[in-house]
Amino acid sequence: MQLKQTSPRNIRRPLAAATCSLLTGVSHAGGLIASGNNWKIDSALMLYAEKDRVQLAEGVLQVGKEIDDDEFVNVRMVADVLTGASPNGAIPIDSAQTFTRPSGEGTYSAAANKTPLDTSFRDLRGALNVEWDKPLSTYQRGIFSASLSSEQDYLSTGIAATFAQDLNQRNTTLTFGLSYNRDSVMPQGGVPVGLSTMPPFPATKTTTGSSKTKNVAEALFGITQVISRQSLMQLNYSWGKSNGYLTDPYKILSVLDSNLSGDLRASNPYVFEKRPDSRAYQSLYWKGVHQFANENVLNLSYRYFWDDWGIQSHTVDVRYRFDFKAHHYLQPHLRYYQQGKADFYRQVLIDGEETTLAAASADYRLGEFVTRTIGLKYGYEFKNGAEINFRMEVITQKGKDQAADAVGKLQNQQLFPNNEAYLLQAGVSLDSDILMKVLRGLFNY
Amino acid sequence: MKIRVLILACSLLLSACSLAPVKPWDRNILAQQKMQLVADPLEIYLDEHTYFSKEASSGGQGVGGGGCGCN
């Protein structure tokens, strides 16, 4: 009897199955395998657009290669371009408003009863992440990574290490991770002094240098457990601490007249925001993955997050993958996020408060709101392991106006800048062997 | 609230640890790409980047990956 020759890719699949690690974010088992001279290539292009606001195009290319037995290097490259308008923190009022651009070179305006948007919002970002994933012993793995992200007014550098210990015949994995980031912000027009006034153009803001830094350290403890042949779950506890300049240099607050009529004060009615210079945060994250008898897969997660700024949030994320014949699949996605406000979140200030408060921000991201996401992904898996997929999501954010801030005529205004966004993504996964075959086919060589 | 969430999560995991271990030769389903905790790393990366720029909470799934000026 002649044995049928099996390709290396097909041999590695059951081998990977037998030794599969449960470590977070590591998925060498199944699908495409980067081995020998073969590279695994994942790519995606995302288009993100908010109604009347920001538009973003982001491309990601990730290549991975097995450089030694069960030892991998993954490189992720990201480029994104962002343009449009973003809420500057000021409230809508019943007359037009004019603001000085962050650069100090000109002005932009908001129509009456419209959320003020900074229309000078545009950026180009490039990011690189290199990851080395290596067995440290029979039952231990280490993942070491370095990252760099650069944009016109921001630079982020980071390192991280994650260690995993398999136990209980590899049915349990304990994970311990550490990361450190050092970021620099170089705002247009310099770093504004917190809670100082935004003077009307052509006067320029009071600054405290041209750049600031912040440090972020994070630690994670996790346990991943196989429940059955079809189920596994994960529980992570994370702790993080940020120190340094945590303020958004482009966000401002409106300052009202002290007569509580809801009118802006007569002179210099806008001040730059100021946040505390440290933040400690923690989270508990649970995820479960289960495959049903019909081969459909449920991926369910919940995160509880809290910090010493007073923010608490709950996030529930559900993805359910329906597998169809001939390698097609559909995956609906639902996400619900509910956030409480930071202690220093204010939608407006009353004249004089800017001199007494230690911190204040009207950034809606620090407010009380709910994000809802509904999406659908379609994917097709080729017999050789390659995949193409597309997804579309609709994201809505609805916030709560604070009764204490909605004084006088502001009770007729929508102070929280509700948002609606659309996300489109296309992705291709293949390996270098498949890519070369496709190229040879296209160019006949 | 924090304590209740922690107790519930730990109870779930501890009860799971007492289950009979799944043998390596029974892991064909667990080894499928769609059964990985992060089945599509780029999708999760893009989601995390999007929500990091729109919300005050982030992380939970792992450490590292880099920051950006979007928040």
Side-chain angles (χ1 to χ4, degrees), chain A residues 17-18 20 24 27 29-30 42-43 48 50 58 76 78 80 125 147 149 151 154 156 160 162 169-171 181 220 223 225-230 232 235-236 279 284-285 287 291 295 303-306 313-314 319 321 323 335 337 339 364-365 371 373 377 391 397 425, chain B residues 1-2 5-6 9-10 12-13 16-71:
Chain A
C20 96
T24 310
S27 54
D42 294 297
S43 60
Y48 171 91
E50 295 178 358
E58 180 164 8
R76 184 177 65 222
V78 182
D80 59 51
R125 185 175 81 102
S147 60
S149 172
E151 48 205 290
Y154 202 88
S156 173
T162 302
Q169 300 176 49
R170 295 190 193 276
N171 281 253
N181 262 59
L220 177 142
I223 178 168
Q225 176 66 42
V226 169
I227 308 299
S228 69
R229 286 191 65 204
Q230 295 89 21
L232 71 159
L235 177 67
N236 292 337
R279 182 188 187 199
L284 279 171
Y285 178 86
K287 179 183 267 192
Q291 184 166 144
E295 299 188 9
R303 180 186 65 190
Y304 178 57
F305 175 101
W306 69 100
S313 72
H314 302 270
R319 292 165 211 257
R321 173 170 156 151
D323 271 14
R335 182 180 184 272
Y337 173 86
Q339 174 183 305
Y364 73 95
R365 295 170 296 186
T371 309
T373 304
K377 179 181 179 183
R391 71 167 171 147
Q397 283 185 301
Q425 183 190 316
Chain B
M1 179 66 200
K2 296 161 200 162
V5 171
L6 188 60
C10 289
L12 279 170
L13 270 170
C17 291
S18 63
L19 299 170
V22 175
K23 301 293 183 188
W25 50 87
D26 283 331
R27 295 198 174 194
N28 56 323
I29 293 173
L30 292 168
Q32 293 169 4
Q33 184 69 29
K34 64 182 179 181
M35 284 297 290
Q36 305 309 301
L37 287 163
V38 181
D40 186 340
L42 295 195
E43 179 182 331
I44 299 302
Y45 167 80
L46 289 166
D47 273 359
E48 291 208 333
H49 185 212
T50 301
Y51 295 116
F52 175 70
S53 68
K54 295 286 144 198
E55 297 167 348
S57 315
S58 62
Q61 296 200 56
V63 293
C68 76
C70 49
N71 192 343

Side-chain angles (χ1 to χ4, degrees), chain A residues 26-299:
Chain A
V26 180
S27 54
H28 303 302
L32 298 161
I33 300 293
S35 61
N37 291 322
N38 205 17
W39 289 75
K40 184 176 187 295
I41 303 165
D42 294 297
S43 60
L45 175 67
M46 180 181 80
L47 302 175
Y48 171 91
E50 295 178 358
K51 208 172 177 180
D52 305 323
R53 297 190 200 166
V54 167
Q55 284 102 47
L56 168 88
E58 180 164 8
V60 190
L61 177 66
Q62 182 167 296
V63 293
K65 188 177 190 315
E66 185 173 33
I67 56 171
D68 202 346
D69 193 27
D70 209 22
E71 181 177 340
F72 300 85
V73 168
N74 293 302
V75 180
R76 184 177 65 222
M77 292 155 279
V78 182
D80 59 51
V81 57
L82 185 143
T83 183
S86 177
N88 65 5
I91 54 162
I93 58 172
D94 56 7
S95 59
Q97 303 180 78
T98 301
F99 306 92
T100 307
R101 290 192 182 282
S103 62
E105 299 166 354
T107 61
Y108 62 94
S109 300
N113 304 312
K114 294 286 185 188
T115 299
L117 303 173
D118 181 351
T119 52
S120 56
F121 198 48
R122 57 181 55 86
D123 216 336
L124 193 64
R125 185 175 81 102
L128 180 70
N129 187 73
V130 180
E131 181 184 276
W132 178 32
D133 176 359
K134 165 183 180 52
L136 302 175
S137 69
T138 307
Y139 294 103
Q140 291 176 328
R141 294 194 73 82
I143 301 176
F144 309 95
S145 66
S147 60
L148 174 75
S149 172
S150 176
E151 48 205 290
Q152 286 165 6
D153 58 358
Y154 202 88
L155 178 70
S156 173
T157 52
I159 52 173
T162 302
F163 302 93
Q165 171 74 52
D166 288 335
L167 304 168
N168 187 24
Q169 300 176 49
R170 295 190 193 276
N171 281 253
T172 307
T173 301
L174 300 178
T175 311
F176 173 59
L178 287 170
S179 71
Y180 176 77
N181 262 59
R182 184 170 174 82
D183 296 3
S184 301
V185 58
M186 299 79 72
Q188 293 175 38
V191 181
V193 173
L195 299 177
S196 69
T197 57
M198 170 195 266
F201 181 78
T204 54
K205 63 192 173 193
T206 311
T207 59
T208 169
S210 59
S211 69
K212 291 282 181 185
T213 59
K214 74 171 177 183
N215 304 307
V216 185
E218 293 183 338
L220 177 142
F221 304 90
I223 178 168
T224 306
Q225 176 66 42
V226 169
I227 308 299
S228 69
R229 286 191 65 204
Q230 295 89 21
S231 306
L232 71 159
M233 64 168 74
Q234 176 187 50
L235 177 67
N236 292 337
Y237 165 75
S238 302
W239 173 91
K241 179 94 189 247
S242 306
N243 279 305
Y245 187 76
L246 308 181
T247 297
D248 187 325
Y250 303 127
K251 298 291 186 197
I252 60 175
L253 295 109
S254 301
V255 185
L256 302 183
D257 194 292
S258 55
N259 64 13
L260 302 184
S261 62
D263 285 322
L264 297 179
R265 72 179 177 192
S267 67
N268 292 326
Y270 311 110
V271 296
F272 289 98
E273 71 152 47
K274 183 183 180 186
R275 304 183 190 188
D277 57 10
S278 77
R279 182 188 187 199
Y281 50 94
Q282 301 172 73
S283 70
L284 279 171
Y285 178 86
W286 175 89
K287 179 183 267 192
V289 183
H290 177 75
Q291 184 166 144
F292 296 91
N294 57 10
E295 299 188 9
N296 293 342
V297 175
L298 172 68
N299 189 312

Side-chain angles (χ1 to χ4, degrees), chain A residues 302-336:
Chain A
Y302 167 74
R303 180 186 65 190
Y304 178 57
F305 175 101
W306 69 100
D307 70 10
D308 62 359
W309 285 2
I311 293 170
Q312 292 189 39
S313 72
H314 302 270
T315 313
V316 179
D317 191 290
V318 190
R319 292 165 211 257
Y320 190 87
R321 173 170 156 151
F322 294 93
D323 271 14
F324 298 99
K325 287 179 183 173
H327 309 285
H328 300 274
Y329 72 86
L330 278 177
Q331 182 175 273
H333 175 211
L334 293 173
R335 182 180 184 272
Y336 179 84

Side-chain angles (χ1 to χ4, degrees), chain A residues 309-419:
Chain A
W309 285 2
I311 293 170
Q312 292 189 39
S313 72
H314 302 270
T315 313
V316 179
D317 191 290
V318 190
R319 292 165 211 257
Y320 190 87
R321 173 170 156 151
F322 294 93
D323 271 14
F324 298 99
K325 287 179 183 173
H327 309 285
H328 300 274
Y329 72 86
L330 278 177
Q331 182 175 273
H333 175 211
L334 293 173
R335 182 180 184 272
Y336 179 84
Y337 173 86
Q338 182 260 318
Q339 174 183 305
K341 70 181 183 69
D343 298 333
F344 55 89
Y345 174 72
R346 295 288 303 274
Q347 289 177 313
V348 294
L349 294 181
I350 305 296
D351 187 14
E353 280 190 306
E354 75 279 13
T355 60
T356 58
L357 293 173
S361 172
D363 187 340
Y364 73 95
R365 295 170 296 186
L366 300 176
E368 185 177 352
F369 65 88
V370 168
T371 309
R372 291 181 178 85
T373 304
I374 182 166
L376 184 66
K377 179 181 179 183
Y378 163 76
Y380 179 75
E381 292 174 335
F382 294 89
K383 285 180 183 170
N384 57 17
E387 177 178 325
I388 54 169
N389 54 61
F390 306 91
R391 71 167 171 147
M392 180 182 170
E393 308 222 315
V394 180
I395 303 168
T396 57
Q397 283 185 301
K398 284 195 175 168
K400 205 170 172 183
D401 289 349
Q402 301 202 107
D405 289 337
V407 297
K409 61 172 75 169
L410 296 185
Q411 289 169 24
N412 302 321
Q413 296 287 357
Q414 170 68 50
L415 300 186
F416 189 94
N418 291 336
N419 193 14

